[in-house]
Amino acid sequence: MSSVGIVLASYGRGALVQAGAVALRCGLAGRKLRPVCGDRVRWHHLPNSHAATVESVEPRRNVIERIDARGRAEPVAANVDRLAIMVAPEPAPDWFLVDRYWAAASVKDIATILIVDKGDLGMQRIEADLHNYRKLALPCHEIACRTGLGLDELRRTLADGVTLLVGQSGVGKSSLVNALAPEAAAQTAELTRDTEGRHTTTTARWYRLAEAAAIIDAPGVRDFAPPAHLMRAAERGFCEIHAAGAGCRFHDCRHFDEPGCAVRAAVRNGQIAPRRYESYRRLTRLYEQLAGGR
Ligand SMILES: Nc1nc2c(ncn2[C@@H]2O[C@H](COP(=O)(O)OP(=O)(O)OP(=O)(O)O)[C@@H](O)[C@H]2O)c(=O)[nH]1
Ligand SMILES: [Mg+2]
Ligand SMILES: [Zn+2]
């Protein structure tokens, strides 16, 4: 007899699976099985034993991957409905990281929102960048986990579907998860007893928010980028650059130094924020380096 459960967290040689009301530590039936946080998996109890095993991974609707330093794709979470990128006035935002996350989600047609935490510290320092993202139609939610500001409205936004929460270390992702899902701390405590617990800080975790809603607290990886096979597509993630690119002389213009480039013209006349253009160039160069290094 096997049942289907959701992977709350995955480790090298096992996974924590939501099995009815309990979270169950499971081994993996085969070496090739690679369950990811958010996966639906078939699992069963071994005969005459408390041990449980993941048999198979159900087909995924999508998977969010990042590339590691060597350019290899590494899955972060599966079956995601929404990407929530978190920033705060402190630590100072890495906007390049925000742009890469947004591009990765756009490529996969996953809705993206920006959550701006620590409203109690004041938003002046980052207001200009926030203004630009709002102009690009990226929904921005200003909150403060510490005071509760904006949390009710955010709760309504996250009331259905699975949200993957990403962002730099220290922006407040886990604070938000604890504010939205009060039982999250209990699940955390349980995980620390896992034999492979040393991996938990680098592992995404799935928490239920409501009957039809969940949130995944992801580790604050700095080198996140969409996988290289999505390189051309990633350009589409920079919506304003993609739109302006329709006016370039060459249809395969990279918008670096080609003549008749409408994107660089738009940057010069202020229609495209130079910082966003710089993000685009950095991502493109990163891919070229990775391709050259193979
Ligand atoms: N002033 C202020 N501090 C906050 C707020 N929300 C969270 N913090 C603080 O920010 C710090 C980091 O919060 P975490 O929730 O651990 O950050 P994180 O994004 O989960 O970090 P990693 O797990 O390392 O990726 C903590 O000291 C929190 O108390 C807020 O609204 N205002
Ligand atoms: Mg955290
Ligand atoms: Zn161009």
Side-chain angles (χ1 to χ4, degrees):
M1 258 297 282
S2 67
S3 323
V4 173
I6 290 170
V7 173
L8 302 178
S10 105
Y11 310 102
R13 294 301 312 141
L16 188 72
V17 176
Q18 186 74 50
V22 297
L24 202 64
R25 246 185 294 150
C26 296
L28 307 178
R31 286 197 158 274
K32 286 195 181 138
L33 273 185
R34 291 266 191 287
V36 178
C37 182
D39 261 331
R40 286 163 52 81
V41 292
R42 291 206 158 269
W43 63 273
H44 71 277
H45 275 295
L46 297 179
N48 310 319
S49 157
H50 288 300
T53 304
V54 171
E55 282 172 6
S56 61
V57 178
E58 302 281 286
R60 291 169 179 157
R61 276 189 292 127
N62 58 38
V63 56
I64 291 275
E65 300 167 295
R66 66 184 200 98
I67 50 170
D68 65 16
R70 291 186 197 153
R72 288 177 306 204
E74 187 185 311
V76 178
N79 304 322
V80 170
D81 296 297
R82 183 184 299 108
L83 184 74
I85 307 169
M86 198 179 221
V87 295
E90 272 176 36
D94 177 350
W95 297 113
F96 180 39
L97 189 68
V98 172
D99 291 335
R100 282 177 294 169
Y101 278 126
W102 190 17
S106 306
V107 166
K108 307 215 169 201
D109 286 321
I110 294 171
T112 304
I113 64 171
L114 192 67
I115 298 177
V116 191
D117 187 26
K118 311 194 189 183
D120 53 306
L121 299 182
M123 297 294 179
Q124 298 85 338
R125 271 168 291 174
I126 58 175
E127 196 46 63
D129 285 288
L130 293 182
H131 177 74
N132 191 53
Y133 284 114
R134 285 197 199 95
K135 220 173 70 185
L136 297 173
L138 179 65
C140 298
H141 294 261
E142 290 185 21
I143 65 163
C145 294
R146 186 157 290 180
T147 65
L149 171 86
L151 288 185
D152 284 338
E153 194 205 316
L154 183 60
R155 227 178 243 117
R156 283 192 289 277
T157 302
L158 306 184
D160 61 69
V162 177
T163 300
L164 173 61
L165 184 58
V166 296
Q168 282 159 269
S169 185
V171 291
K173 298 181 297 295
S174 301
S175 305
L176 177 63
V177 166
N178 285 331
L180 296 178
E183 73 280 13
Q187 291 181 23
T188 303
E190 181 183 353
L191 274 167
T192 55
R193 274 189 270 121
D194 193 279
T195 48
E196 284 168 297
R198 64 184 187 279
H199 294 300
T200 50
T201 52
T202 58
T203 303
R205 305 254 207 94
W206 194 101
Y207 300 101
R208 183 165 292 292
L209 284 184
E211 187 54 34
I215 191 160
I216 297 173
D217 188 3
V221 283
R222 300 225 40 190
D223 55 347
F224 180 91
H229 66 269
L230 297 174
M231 170 172 166
R232 293 299 298 183
E235 297 177 13
R236 271 188 276 126
F238 291 81
C239 50
E240 75 279 45
I241 289 174
H242 186 63
C248 294
R249 186 178 305 164
F250 303 109
H251 75 91
D252 59 349
C253 185
R254 286 156 70 249
H255 324 306
F256 273 44
D257 45 23
E258 294 88 340
C261 176
V263 169
R264 275 183 301 125
V267 174
R268 275 196 304 275
N269 71 24
Q271 276 173 295
I272 290 178
R275 201 198 48 66
R276 285 275 294 171
Y277 176 64
E278 196 45 42
S279 273
Y280 162 80
R281 283 178 63 112
R282 278 176 69 181
L283 183 59
T284 306
R285 271 199 231 102
L286 175 69
Y287 284 136
E288 287 171 353
Q289 272 167 21
L290 291 172
R294 284 220 180 92

